[in-house]
Amino acid sequence: CCRNCNPCKTDNEQYCNKKIWTYSDVYTDGKLTQGGFSAALVIDQKFAVKIPDGMVLEQAAPLLCAGVTVYSPLRQFGLNVSGLRGGILGLGGVGHMGVKIAKAMGHHVTVISSSDKKRVEAMEHIGADEYLISSDATKMQEAADSLDYIIDTVPVVHPLEPYLSLLKLDGKLILMGAINDPLQFVSPMLTLGEKTITGSFVGSMKETEEMLEFCKEKGLKTMIEVVKMDYINTAFERLEKNDVRYRFVVDVAASNLHQ
């Protein structure tokens, strides 16, 4: 990041317009950034965090992405207090950490999904309080005006109005999925309830440090599958098929990078 703009000076450097991406970007020396796929990485100390003592490295890795992605908006929008009712739309890599972190903050958490296939996993293994199928009109109507916020992790075009109807007065729909096509809604869905559609991107280094300590204190663990570098192409093929629960972690140290 540039360290001189307003986002950088207010500990929101992830929003710097001059940021250099960890992967597939060009660094100041003209070389391509390769992030965690690198054999070795030299970085400025500002972008290094200490993994808390006792936290397993492969568990920490997804927290630096999915974990802080969920933690940041809950903190930024004042939702990191107990007693709230939250919804997690989409139970993937980010969504499953959304359930775990929100529950650890003392929230009543509803997973919202398009089908019933992840109900048992959401309720029994991840810890959600309720499971709502978005195509069930009756249940959606019964859940209207019941949630303080919804974290929307869906990365494809989808209607917003069904989920806006679930929010209470002053509720927030927080978009996290990277969608390049326009999303639509009718304005009364917002104006008649002072509701907000907003977005959030990863998190700052300060929030990352806070999140790691929070997860260590609460004993939170990610659901991962550890692979080596020679499995990368297969892992990407499985990602395209949504065949991972819920994050691949690459063990670079155990990989033979010279094969």
Side-chain angles (χ1 to χ4, degrees):
C1 66
C2 74
R3 309 198 188 200
N4 294 314
C5 64
N6 184 63
C8 286
K9 292 180 178 179
T10 56
D11 289 321
N12 290 293
E13 66 278 348
Q14 72 272 31
Y15 297 113
C16 174
N17 287 328
K18 296 181 180 179
K19 60 181 171 288
I20 297 175
W21 299 89
T22 308
Y23 297 91
S24 300
D25 203 350
V26 179
Y27 195 59
T28 54
D29 61 2
K31 294 182 179 179
L32 190 70
T33 60
Q34 300 181 66
F37 291 111
S38 307
L41 187 65
V42 179
I43 61 169
D44 188 288
Q45 63 182 1
K46 174 179 175 60
F47 297 100
V49 293
K50 182 180 184 299
I51 305 301
D53 293 337
M55 181 176 285
V56 181
L57 291 181
E58 56 263 35
Q59 283 291 331
L63 295 179
L64 300 176
C65 181
V68 71
T69 295
V70 174
Y71 182 88
S72 177
L74 292 175
R75 177 184 181 275
Q76 291 283 4
F77 299 129
L79 300 171
N80 56 337
V81 294
S82 62
L84 299 181
R85 298 179 69 90
I88 305 295
L89 178 56
L91 193 64
V94 174
H96 95 284
M97 283 311 303
V99 176
K100 288 174 174 281
I101 289 177
K103 285 291 297 178
M105 289 180 175
H107 300 179
H108 180 282
V109 180
T110 299
V111 168
I112 309 166
S113 186
S114 59
S115 73
D116 200 45
K117 65 181 181 180
K118 294 183 180 179
R119 180 186 295 271
V120 172
E121 201 159 346
M123 302 286 287
E124 297 182 9
H125 302 300
I126 302 178
D129 298 290
E130 295 186 44
Y131 191 92
L132 182 60
I133 301 175
S134 57
S135 59
D136 188 332
T138 300
K139 293 295 184 181
M140 289 286 285
Q141 178 61 40
E142 291 174 356
D145 303 315
S146 66
L147 302 178
D148 294 290
Y149 67 88
I150 295 174
I151 291 178
D152 182 347
T153 71
V154 177
V156 296
V157 172
H158 57 286
L160 299 183
E161 291 172 10
Y163 310 109
L164 289 170
S165 68
L166 299 177
L167 295 173
K168 296 178 181 179
L169 175 69
D170 196 34
K172 292 177 174 56
L173 177 62
I174 306 168
L175 302 179
M176 292 185 176
I179 305 171
N180 293 323
D181 296 314
L183 298 177
Q184 295 183 332
F185 61 93
V186 294
S187 60
M189 295 294 296
L190 301 184
T191 58
L192 295 179
E194 290 188 347
K195 300 175 184 180
T196 302
I197 298 175
T198 186
S200 182
F201 173 67
V202 195
S204 67
M205 297 310 300
K206 181 178 180 180
E207 289 169 334
T208 301
E209 293 175 342
E210 289 181 11
M211 176 275 306
L212 287 172
E213 290 298 332
F214 177 84
C215 290
K216 172 66 186 304
E217 177 187 342
K218 300 294 184 179
L220 301 185
K221 293 184 178 181
T222 55
M223 297 176 69
I224 61 174
E225 182 176 337
V226 179
V227 301
K228 295 182 181 180
M229 197 66 79
D230 59 4
Y231 192 79
I232 287 295
N233 290 339
T234 302
F236 275 116
E237 291 171 2
R238 287 179 55 192
L239 279 173
E240 291 177 351
K241 300 174 184 176
N242 196 27
D243 178 27
V244 56
R245 297 291 186 272
Y246 279 99
R247 283 274 162 148
F248 285 119
V249 174
V250 184
D251 188 347
V252 176
S255 301
N256 185 349
L257 301 181
H258 303 291
Q259 277 186 334

